[in-house]
């Protein structure tokens, strides 16, 4: 594993002061990044324009003063929208799945919602192999959502990590950076296996997905102050891993990791984009795990 921790100042705290006048400030920031909206542009439309434009901005392109302004705007918007505290969500200790290890189940929760609003120590990003965020303006993927809510320093950090590594990110590994304007202090980036739409996962792809979850929890545990992490449905979007099978891999892998690392993390949130996604977990949790090698 490459040593990138000092290069991105991972252990230095980062705070962004909310801009109370962000509705006025945002037009000037837009102009500084090459967007020239009409003077009467609505704040929400201006924010949409800014987030879309930043998907196209290259690493290290923006001066620090502009990045400071963007993070202050994002912090103010986050304050207004509110944050969620999923750490207080009910655990899974009463599920038949965890009948023989309720202490492990109590550390896990299934929560539907926007992961960028979660007040946890770290969140997981389903990245691509370039690790620079989605470059399609306002694309509805988690990679875009996290980079948009964090601000441009997140891409700069990822570029620094990738320069040190000097090759695309392999499937099944993970890197951790600071979260900047996000409520979470850290973001853990991982690249999952990519399947053809409708294809059944091979044993190798199943192991690759399990490796993603293990690597993410390992990365979280590598930072002493991280005690809670929210994990998304890796590979279940455009990478087309079937959601029921992915839920089984995620639940099995993370429960086993927590059992093997009992003192490392206090809370792991399984984040679902929708209630339909959460249903895949609830169906699994309604019965004890299979005993044919799957647990």
């Amino acid at each position: 594993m490459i040593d990138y921790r000092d290069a991105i100042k991972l252990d230095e705290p980062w705070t962004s002061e909310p801009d109370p006048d962000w509705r006025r400030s945002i037009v000037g920031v837009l102009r500084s990044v090459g967007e020239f909206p009409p003077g009467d542009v609505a704040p929400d439309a201006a924010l949409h324009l800014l987030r879309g434009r930043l998907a196209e901005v290259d690493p290290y392109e923006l001066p620090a003063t502009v990045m400071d302004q963007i993070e202050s705007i994002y912090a103010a918007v986050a304050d207004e929208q509110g944050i969620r505290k999923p750490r207080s969500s009910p655990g899974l200790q009463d599920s038949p799945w965890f009948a023989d290890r309720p202490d492990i189940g109590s550390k896990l929760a299934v929560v539907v919602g926007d992961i960028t609003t979660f007040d946890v120590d770290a969140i997981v990003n389903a990245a691509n192999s370039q690790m620079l965020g989605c470059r399609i303006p306002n694309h509805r993927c988690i990679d875009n959502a996290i980079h948009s809510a964090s601000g441009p320093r997140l891409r700069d950090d990822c570029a620094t990590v990738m320069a040190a590594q000097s090759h695309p990110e392999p499937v099944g590994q993970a890197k951790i950076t600071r979260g900047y304007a996000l409520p979470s202090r850290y973001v853990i980036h991982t690249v999952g296996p990519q399947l053809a739409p409708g294809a059944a996962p091979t044993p190798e792809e199943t192991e690759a997905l399990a490796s993603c979850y293990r690597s993410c929890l390992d990365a979280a545990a590598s930072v002493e102050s991280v005690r809670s992490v929210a994990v998304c449905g890796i590979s279940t979007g455009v990478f087309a891993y079937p959601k029921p099978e992915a839920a089984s891999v995620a639940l099995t892998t993370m429960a086993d990791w927590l059992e093997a690392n009992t003192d490392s993390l206090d809370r792991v949130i399984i984040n679902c984009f929708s209630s339909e996604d959460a249903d895949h977990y609830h169906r699994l949790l309604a019965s004890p795990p299979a005993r044919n090698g799957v647990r």
Side-chain angles (χ1 to χ4, degrees):
M1 179 177 176
I2 61 166
D3 184 8
Y4 58 87
R5 194 171 189 133
D6 291 339
I8 61 171
K9 302 178 180 178
L10 184 66
D11 299 305
E12 293 185 14
W14 185 267
T15 57
S16 302
E17 289 298 324
D19 179 357
D21 202 23
W22 73 268
R23 290 171 175 81
R24 286 179 176 271
S25 305
I26 194 169
V27 173
V29 172
L30 274 170
R31 290 171 179 159
S32 70
V33 298
E35 288 283 346
F36 299 92
D40 60 351
V41 63
D44 287 349
L47 183 64
H48 185 75
L49 281 172
L50 178 60
R51 287 182 165 169
R53 174 70 185 98
L54 291 180
E56 302 173 311
V57 169
D58 290 330
Y60 318 124
E61 182 177 331
L62 298 179
T65 53
V66 174
M67 292 193 290
D68 288 343
Q69 290 176 303
I70 292 168
E71 287 165 359
S72 293
I73 289 169
Y74 284 5
V77 171
D79 279 356
E80 291 182 9
Q81 293 176 339
I83 59 175
R84 293 192 61 186
K85 299 183 181 294
R87 278 179 278 194
S88 60
S89 299
L92 306 179
Q93 63 272 18
D94 295 329
S95 159
W97 183 284
F98 290 104
D100 60 345
R101 45 180 180 172
D103 54 327
I104 302 304
S106 68
K107 293 187 175 185
L108 285 157
V110 177
V111 179
V112 177
D114 179 355
I115 200 170
T116 68
T117 67
F118 284 7
D119 180 20
V120 290
D121 296 324
I123 62 174
V124 168
N125 177 32
N128 58 51
S129 62
Q130 300 306 306
M131 287 273 287
L132 297 179
C134 174
R135 309 306 299 272
I136 303 172
N138 297 306
H139 187 242
R140 295 188 65 187
C141 67
I142 192 168
D143 200 13
N144 197 318
I146 288 175
H147 275 264
S148 293
S150 173
R153 280 189 173 90
L154 184 62
R155 178 169 292 137
D156 289 358
D157 278 5
C158 289
T160 299
V161 172
M162 294 305 287
Q165 180 166 283
S166 73
H167 59 77
E169 180 71 357
V171 171
Q173 298 185 13
K175 303 291 189 296
I176 185 168
T177 64
R178 288 180 291 182
Y180 296 104
L182 290 162
S184 55
R185 289 176 292 162
Y186 299 95
V187 178
I188 300 167
H189 312 260
T190 191
V191 181
Q194 185 167 5
L195 280 64
T202 65
E204 292 77 16
E205 289 164 337
T206 299
E207 172 52 31
L209 184 60
S211 179
C212 286
Y213 284 102
R214 286 192 295 267
S215 296
C216 286
L217 298 184
D218 285 343
S222 73
V223 178
E224 187 176 357
S225 62
V226 173
R227 303 298 303 178
S228 60
V229 57
V231 184
C232 64
I234 300 164
S235 283
T236 57
V238 296
F239 280 16
Y241 202 107
K243 292 181 179 181
E245 290 87 342
S248 179
V249 174
L251 191 59
T252 299
T253 304
M254 292 192 289
D256 287 348
W257 188 96
L258 287 168
E259 188 168 41
N261 301 271
T262 54
D263 297 326
S264 296
L265 295 172
D266 299 325
R267 196 69 158 159
V268 176
I269 307 299
I270 300 170
N271 170 240
C272 298
F273 180 74
S274 67
S275 57
E276 290 80 8
D277 293 345
D279 286 344
H280 296 302
Y281 287 95
H282 295 316
R283 281 192 283 271
L284 285 170
L285 291 163
S287 303
R291 300 299 180 184
N292 59 350
V294 178
R295 179 190 175 105

